[in-house]
Amino acid sequence: MSQIYIPDESPILSEVLGAYDFPATLLGAVRYGQGHINDTFCLVCQPQEGDAIRFILQGLSTAAFPHPEELMENFIGITSYLRDKVIAAGGDPLRETLSLVKTRDGKDFYTDSNGKVWRLTPFIENTDCFQSATPELFEASARSFGRFQYMLQGYPAETLHETIVNFHNTEDRFAKFEAALAADKLDRAKDIADEIKFVMDRKADCSVALQALREGKLPLRVTHNDTKLNNILIDRDSHEGICVIDLDTTMPGLSINDFGDSIRFGANHSKEDEKDLSKVNFDIELYEVYARGFLEGAQGSLTPAELEYLPWGARLMTLECGIRFLTDYLDGDHYFRIHRPEHNLDRCRTQFKLVRDMEEQFDAMAAVIRKYAK
Ligand code: ADP
Ligand code: GN1
Ligand code: MG
């Protein structure tokens, strides 16, 4: 193992890599991707002849996922179900859904000596993963996320574990924010009065989707719940979304949240952590492109009430995400990986700017949905 490259900050990798048999000489592991939660590495194996073979190795975040074994059970159930659907449609199951490489002793994942769970998946080659996209690529991602939900319509939702309890319970997110504010562990509240007021002024909004669920207006479905553009792999040849990834939060949820989280991340021209807020603007044209693609992918499966609440999905996912970043900032940055001291505060501010923009353009957002709803 000594000649294999392993990043200094992750010495545990040598133990984890030892749990797997690789098909060719393993050259090493490098940190990979821009996810905020899991520890993701790309592994490269070099056969004597031919192209390198790559894998994605992921250590599941212990801060985010208290029951990783249950999460892996969901992962296996969902990917097996999708594999059958892809095969039935004449597609390539090795490219159109994720699959697992087994450990030397035939297990689906490895638990390291610190108790952290790791999984190994083949790298899906000839794809790109984008942090921002052209309208065409954004629409392609929308079709894929809409289709993902459509394909999972018949999945036995009751068999799925809730990997993060109350994940998109915006009322609960508000309550957790209030608790973090009351604790104010690091004495940070004194400098963020504007952000605190922004959240407090929107307490009633946090109940809009949940109230519609309680009243039976919105159905629970199997949803992805983390539909960022960078959770989809785009095929380099067809420029279509080929594989929906990051299935760790796929569980019963609201369709409007899958729509909304994509809008939050992709219907603007700035980074999620842009410091210059003058560059952060909600783009209703990108919103329209996404709405068209998502509804095409969902193939008429959304109810009239779901269609009506789609704009709320966008507003609420953006508000909720901003609240989550702010809560983590108050709490000492334990949940989202940060790369600079005020990173979560910067992320929160971009979300709140987008919420303001959406509030101003809310009627136009509803009109766009009416245009494409059938
Ligand atoms: P996180 O929960 O931390 O966001 P992801 O599962 O989204 O973790 O993975 C992080 C990144 O790794 C993705 O955005 C993507 O770039 C890349 N990735 C993950 N799985 C694969 C795969 N099987 N093939 C190619 N790239 C992948
Ligand atoms: C996290 O895992 P990743 O980076 O794709 C988070 C999402 C947030 C997102 C904000 C499990 O997504 O809920 O919306 O960051 N995932 C989890 O960028 O909490
Ligand atoms: Mg991700």
Side-chain angles (χ1 to χ4, degrees), residues 8-28:
D8 289 343
E9 91 280 5
S10 308
I12 193 77
L13 278 185
S14 56
E15 175 193 325
V16 179
L17 295 174
Y20 290 92
D21 262 332
F22 291 95
T25 308
L26 179 61
L27 301 181

Side-chain angles (χ1 to χ4, degrees), residues 32-33 35-38 40 56 58 98 121-124 129 230-231 233 245-246 248:
Y32 194 80
H36 297 335
I37 304 295
N38 292 324
T40 302
I56 290 284
Q58 289 184 308
L98 292 171
T121 59
F123 193 106
I124 301 182
C129 179
N230 65 15
N231 284 331
L233 302 177
I245 60 171
D246 206 343
D248 303 335

